[in-house]
Amino acid sequence: MKADKKTNMQREGLSRRGFLQGVGAGGAVTGILTGCTSLDRNGAVTLEPRGPDETAITLIVNGSRRNLNVEPRVTLLDALRNRLDLTGAKKVCDRGTCGSCTVLMDGEPAYSCSILAVEAAGREITTVEGLGSPEDMNAVQEAFVENDAQQCGFCTPGFVVACTAVLEKNPDASLEEAQVGCGGNLCRCGTYTGMNQALLDAAKSLKGGK
């Protein structure tokens, strides 16, 4: 009876042990290899190994080129916070679920806790610090302040970045459309009422107050 109960993987010649070994090896290779440098005469990809020691990279953050050395396993979030002293993006869940670490990568919202720093090299990165300052806030930041759209503040920078991306692309977005665009961000304090009004006010401001 037991001999007849083979899994699909076994019937196809792939054992569970082989599958797990393959996954483990693939994960290890992914962790230490970045980029592809060339194709050999057989068309195979030649990868440039990096690691486990630190490697030199250049991050383009808020319009400035920042040179630093990081191990390939270092996330973009940790590089921003621990190497570049840009602490606006918060490290909360560290699992790509809460959105507190949201930055813009080439204009698109991205979880910086789930991106390796070496993967972000050469990309245009914008953090909440690059959107405005206390003396010169952007429309979304002003609206969050005016509507008291924060409590503990850990989620606030990520929401500001995500909301800015949504409304800059479509200032005419309805509240429901803007909420969908910010759906990857969570507020454990539940300040969504203030955030909703901030979204509406910021959209109005971006449209020239109309």
Side-chain angles (χ1 to χ4, degrees):
M1 180 69 71
K2 291 182 179 179
D4 295 333
K5 292 184 176 180
K6 293 183 178 179
T7 65
N8 290 333
M9 288 192 297
Q10 290 171 322
R11 283 194 292 269
E12 294 170 4
L14 178 63
S15 69
R16 181 181 300 179
R17 180 183 297 275
F19 173 76
L20 293 174
Q21 287 175 337
V23 171
V29 170
T30 301
I32 64 174
L33 298 176
T34 60
C36 104
T37 55
S38 63
L39 298 177
D40 65 20
R41 61 185 179 183
N42 296 318
V45 175
T46 301
L47 294 172
E48 175 189 355
R50 295 187 180 182
D53 296 329
E54 290 188 346
T55 185
I57 64 171
T58 299
L59 295 179
I60 305 172
V61 185
N62 300 330
S64 299
R65 298 178 67 85
R66 307 292 297 272
N67 299 318
L68 64 160
N69 295 319
V70 296
E71 295 179 19
R73 65 189 178 89
V74 172
T75 64
L76 175 60
L77 175 61
D78 284 339
L80 293 171
R81 292 182 58 84
N82 302 332
R83 304 297 182 91
L84 301 180
D85 294 326
L86 294 170
T87 57
K90 304 304 182 193
K91 190 171 186 177
V92 180
C93 74
D94 202 25
R95 294 292 184 273
T97 58
C98 73
S100 296
C101 67
T102 302
V103 299
L104 300 182
M105 179 178 288
D106 295 334
E108 297 294 332
Y111 291 149
S112 59
C113 77
S114 301
I115 301 169
L116 296 176
V118 293
E119 293 178 301
R123 311 283 291 275
E124 294 284 346
I125 308 298
T126 303
T127 68
V128 69
E129 291 93 340
L131 298 181
S133 65
E135 297 76 23
D136 185 23
M137 294 184 285
N138 77 351
V140 174
Q141 290 169 323
E142 288 184 344
F144 265 66
V145 172
E146 291 297 321
N147 289 282
D148 197 20
Q150 63 279 314
Q151 283 192 36
C152 75
F154 275 94
C155 73
T156 306
F159 265 104
V160 168
V161 172
C163 292
T164 297
V166 170
L167 295 180
E168 284 189 345
K169 288 183 177 180
N170 183 17
D172 291 317
S174 65
L175 177 58
E176 291 74 19
E177 290 171 334
Q179 288 174 327
V180 169
C182 300
N185 295 66
L186 301 175
C187 174
R188 289 174 171 81
C189 298
T191 56
Y192 293 109
T193 299
M195 290 183 189
N196 289 342
Q197 189 58 51
L199 276 167
L200 294 173
D201 290 353
K204 181 178 180 180
S205 176
L206 288 170
K207 289 185 291 186
K210 299 179 181 180

